[in-house]
Amino acid sequence: SVGQRVKIVQLSDLHLTAGGEALFGSSPRERLDLAIDSILQSHADADFCLLTGDLADAGSDAAYAALDQTLKRLPMPAHLLPGNHDSRTALRRQFPQLPADSDFMQAVIDTPAGRFLLLDTVEAGAPWGSYCAERQEWLARQLAAAGDLSLYIAMHHPPLALGIPSMDQFALRDAEAFWAVIAPHRARIRHLFFGHLHRPIGGSWRGIPFSCTASPNHQVALDLATLRGDEVPGCREPAGYAVILIDADKVVVHHQQLFNGETSFWL
């Protein structure tokens, strides 16, 4: 059952540094501010902001303090998920309102468009994702409790290979176990949102549509061939974020690129 339209802004892979230092040639803090400027200008009416992991580059308290300060500029609530670069402990110190009913940061958000399930796919100390038995049981309970509500899942790591070998090795390791939990409910799962890939990507996984958004700071190159240890090819493609529109008939994901001062004009 879906009510009125819901508008969501998705930010992912901010990689904020401890002292605001540059990372791969740009300042993650400045790039996040540019993204917030753009959101305030065009999408201040969003219902909430969804942040899908890698909020800090090295899980530092200073980076999360900067994030907290920056997110205060937003007029809408922000919902945070951890990524493999994050520290749950440091995140909770700065954001005590984050879910703390277990070791994991998993949450349920009810919206007029249905229920969002925010998953924690972090395996501490590893770049790939995990979804252990405890997390699977939590998800099974939430899915069972959702009744006939439309469902949306947000997570950091994708549960599928996306054709970029350097990143596919760091996808969700427990994808089959994860699938076994969601498969009985797949008819009600309208979309899967994730980060981790630093690229605008869309498609479907076993019939469930998915999307990923660019990073505000640095992107992963579309290299479909190279696998060189744990190295990941980066590139200077446009930074950005996603704007998601949901109503009874559709889920639409717009990718907004971030520019450095160019003006827009009418065609």
Side-chain angles (χ1 to χ4, degrees):
S1 56
V2 178
Q4 73 238 46
R5 193 184 86 165
V6 169
K7 180 178 184 179
I8 301 158
V9 171
Q10 182 190 4
L11 284 164
S12 199
D13 302 278
L14 314 179
H15 286 267
L16 295 173
T17 52
E21 303 91 348
L23 184 67
F24 305 119
S26 53
S27 161
R29 177 72 186 272
E30 290 175 9
R31 298 312 298 260
L32 176 59
D33 274 320
L34 274 176
I36 302 283
D37 290 345
S38 172
I39 293 164
L40 290 174
Q41 180 181 346
S42 303
H43 308 293
D45 61 337
D47 294 282
F48 63 90
C49 182
L50 176 65
L51 289 93
T52 46
D54 283 359
L55 312 176
D57 189 57
S60 69
D61 287 283
Y64 296 129
L67 176 62
D68 190 18
Q69 185 181 355
T70 306
L71 291 179
K72 283 186 166 77
R73 298 178 57 204
L74 291 174
M76 75 287 292
H79 297 287
L80 279 56
L81 277 173
N84 48 287
H85 281 257
D86 291 309
S87 157
R88 293 188 191 99
T89 306
L91 254 177
R92 283 201 177 102
R93 274 197 294 269
Q94 188 63 45
F95 297 95
Q97 69 273 27
L98 284 168
D101 56 346
S102 75
D103 292 338
F104 306 111
M105 292 180 173
Q106 310 208 96
V108 177
I109 308 170
D110 279 320
T111 78
R115 178 166 292 180
F116 276 74
L117 301 173
L118 276 50
L119 310 189
D120 179 337
T121 58
V122 173
E123 172 75 30
W128 57 82
S130 293
Y131 208 65
C132 62
E134 181 184 341
R135 284 175 275 193
Q136 293 166 35
E137 288 161 12
W138 178 90
L139 180 56
R141 288 196 303 273
Q142 304 307 324
L143 290 167
D148 63 351
L149 290 173
S150 295
L151 298 166
Y152 310 85
I153 294 176
M155 57 208 294
H156 180 67
H157 295 86
L160 68 153
L162 292 157
I164 301 175
S166 62
M167 289 299 289
D168 287 343
Q169 64 181 328
F170 302 136
L172 188 72
R173 291 277 170 101
D174 303 308
E176 291 306 324
F178 172 68
W179 175 254
V181 175
I182 68 171
H185 308 273
R186 61 185 161 187
R188 289 185 294 116
I189 300 173
R190 297 189 72 199
H191 206 86
L192 173 62
F193 302 96
F194 52 78
H196 193 51
L197 267 292
H198 293 238
R199 294 194 63 80
I201 306 172
S204 63
W205 179 55
R206 299 177 182 178
I208 299 175
F210 69 77
S211 60
C212 176
T213 187
S215 161
N217 193 66
H218 56 282
Q219 312 314 313
V220 169
L222 185 60
D223 182 336
L224 303 182
T226 309
L227 182 58
R228 197 168 74 183
D230 59 2
E231 292 182 274
V232 174
C235 68
R236 273 277 154 237
E237 287 177 22
Y241 61 91
V243 179
I244 301 151
L245 305 175
I246 303 174
D247 64 23
D249 291 331
K250 59 190 177 293
V251 176
V252 179
V253 180
H254 292 282
H255 293 286
Q256 177 60 59
Q257 296 181 344
L258 290 176
F259 300 99
N260 291 309
E262 289 92 344
T263 54
S264 58
F265 52 89
W266 297 101
L267 298 178

